[in-house]
Amino acid sequence: MATTIDTIYTIWLREIKRFLKSKSRILGTGGQPLIWLAIVGVGFGSAIGVLAGGVSYITFMAPGIIGMTILFSSIFAGINVIYDKQFGFMKEILVAPVSRVGIVLGKIAGSATVSLISAITVLVIVILVGIIPVSSLTVAGLIEAVVFMVLTAAIFVSVGLVIATSINNMEGFQVIINFFILPLFFLSGALFPLTDAPLWMKAVSAVDPLRYGVDGMRGALIGTAAASYPLALDFVIILGVAVVLIAVADFAFRRMQAK
Amino acid sequence: MDQPDGKYSIVVEHLVKKFGSFTAVNDVSFKVKEGEIFGLLGPNGAGKTTTISILSTIVNLTSGKASIYGRDVVHEKDAVRNLIGIVFQDPSLDDELTGRENLDIHARLYGVKGKAKLEAIDRVLKLVELDDKANIQVRAYSGGMKRRLEIARGFIHDPKVLFLDEPTIGLDPQTRRKIWDYILHLNEREKVTIILTTHYMEEADELCDRIAIIDHGKIIKVDTSEKLKDSLGGDVIKIGTNKPKELVALVKKKKIAVSAMEHDGTVEITAKDGSKALPRIIEFAKGAKIDIEYSTLKRPTLEDVFISLTGKEIRDEQASGADQMKQKWRARGR
Ligand SMILES: Nc1ncnc2c1ncn2[C@@H]1O[C@H](COP(=O)(O)OP(=O)(O)OP(=O)(O)O)[C@@H](O)[C@H]1O
Ligand SMILES: [Mg+2]
């Protein structure tokens, strides 16, 4: 029998193979964030200028766009589950003598890896064109940033999976995701600092996990002066949310009957 | 613990499955012998797929008991999953991946590793004659190639029991025959017990050692194809004649047949051994000066058995409509 590790690896491998075969997905996940940076970053940047702490707007926004990359590509990982249900491959997986948690963790690992590839691509480009100055980077900071990327990806992949287990068609999934995704994005502080935001907005953004992911990346890549919370707090919160949501995804997956 | 139930590989007792208030499987019991090809023959909606889904642990039963080699399908799911292979009625391949990649994923999920894995993949690819197409995306396969790949995948891990849910639905006659050959080969050479569902009479006839006729979630009768046909009393002889009433009386008097009656001017006779009875009837008719215009002799088909047991044809208007729909859906999915 396959061990849980074998199962995770197998499911992970399949996600990666599928991603590498799909050129549109590769281009889409890398291209969209760069368009945002070019248009919103440059446009708002010229209107807003330099923010508190001496950070230019486009630099402030760069970790936010990496967060966006992870949010969008992770949450749409749920599409793969719906695809598997519709095209029957889910039955092939569910009838195998493998642990259910292995299937879930494999799915999460595979989709999170794909998100991570996109996010790191954006990060490299952002560094290469000088949006994030090399002077503010440290090895420790880069490692911390990747840790935040991984956890953020795990969170939103899990959210996508949970939604996908209870929905059977692409359209329904898109509707639900589109409803949630923009508030999650705008309230995360990815595009604008929330320091001067009204109290209600601060309150709502406090429950947006992306907030802590983006804040952590900002602290790790640009410096703690640009972040709202201490790095350690961001880390503890994001780790806790990731663990809870992975558990929820596992539960949702077990409950799902293969269609 | 390998074979607590003697020579049976599958034991199903009073199986019931309800979807809400609708009963899809209604108190079904049967036993499949080791090494047997066992068929579930029934029209659309009879409950064939539901039964298979329960036995393969994909759907939970409502009540009753079922086990594979003594392993309970509810309480020992992993043990059961380890013993079985399945080809689903609907497509279940990853068509973004190649044929070989699909088999590779499957082998890994069943713990087949390293050299054994590579050998198993090559072996099954050769058997279903897809070795030259193994490295192209499944998306570019024809329907028949996909079905063959699914069958190959179903037994890559040497299952003891193989479930085939309508293995040849929507395929052309040549492909169908080929798939039948693979199935027979698997059963003979690899000693796999096979349970297959179908609503094709020829398929059940050709492949199955025993056939369970299922309708409205109930098993009506289980037996070999020959015995099912024999249960109708014998062969059907139809004779066109100028004196049908006299011929019926004559056949009855001479006790040649099980039954004889006039039907729209022709005489319909059921006789145990039709090919011997027919010449005798013709001889007696000659002696009695009854002219015989024509005669036909037909061995009863499973279709006749089905009609006599359920009072309807297996492929009525409604069913063939649903069948077409399914094929369309299949064409889309494949
Ligand atoms: N998930 C479900 N929810 C509700 N009803 C269902 C479900 N699955 C099957 N049924 C119903 O149960 C009955 C039996 O379905 P099943 O798929 O087992 O039939 P079948 O014999 O395989 O038919 P076919 O030849 O069309 O494949 C049908 O009336 C079907 O509509
Ligand atoms: Mg069916």
Side-chain angles (χ1 to χ4, degrees), chain A residues 1-2 6 9-10 13-14 17-18 21 83 86-89 91-92 94-98 100 257-258, chain B residues 56 58 60 78 81-82 88 91-98 101-102 105-106 108-111 113 153:
Chain A
M1 269 204 213
D6 289 338
Y9 175 71
T10 304
L13 187 67
R14 168 169 178 257
K17 282 189 169 165
R18 286 172 61 90
K21 280 176 200 244
Y83 178 97
Q86 281 191 345
F87 288 82
F89 197 81
K91 279 195 224 160
E92 152 77 356
L94 290 179
V95 82
V98 296
R100 308 292 108 169
Q257 285 279 345
Chain B
S56 58
I58 289 193
N60 286 323
D78 270 342
R81 287 173 182 147
N82 219 21
F88 299 102
S92 65
L93 294 165
D94 186 336
D95 59 8
E96 309 251 325
L97 302 183
T98 66
E101 285 169 333
N102 268 281
I105 301 252
H106 183 91
R108 288 171 186 278
L109 288 175
Y110 285 78
K113 289 184 194 169
R153 185 178 68 179

Side-chain angles (χ1 to χ4, degrees), chain B residues 248-259:
Chain B
V248 168
L250 181 68
V251 169
K252 281 188 172 159
K253 201 180 114 201
K254 298 281 182 189
K255 297 206 165 63
I256 313 169
V258 177
S259 73

Side-chain angles (χ1 to χ4, degrees), chain B residues 44-45 47-50 89 165-166 197 326:
Chain B
N44 291 123
K48 304 182 295 292
T49 297
T50 307
Q89 178 171 346
D165 198 354
E166 314 232 8
T197 79
K326 205 152 44 175

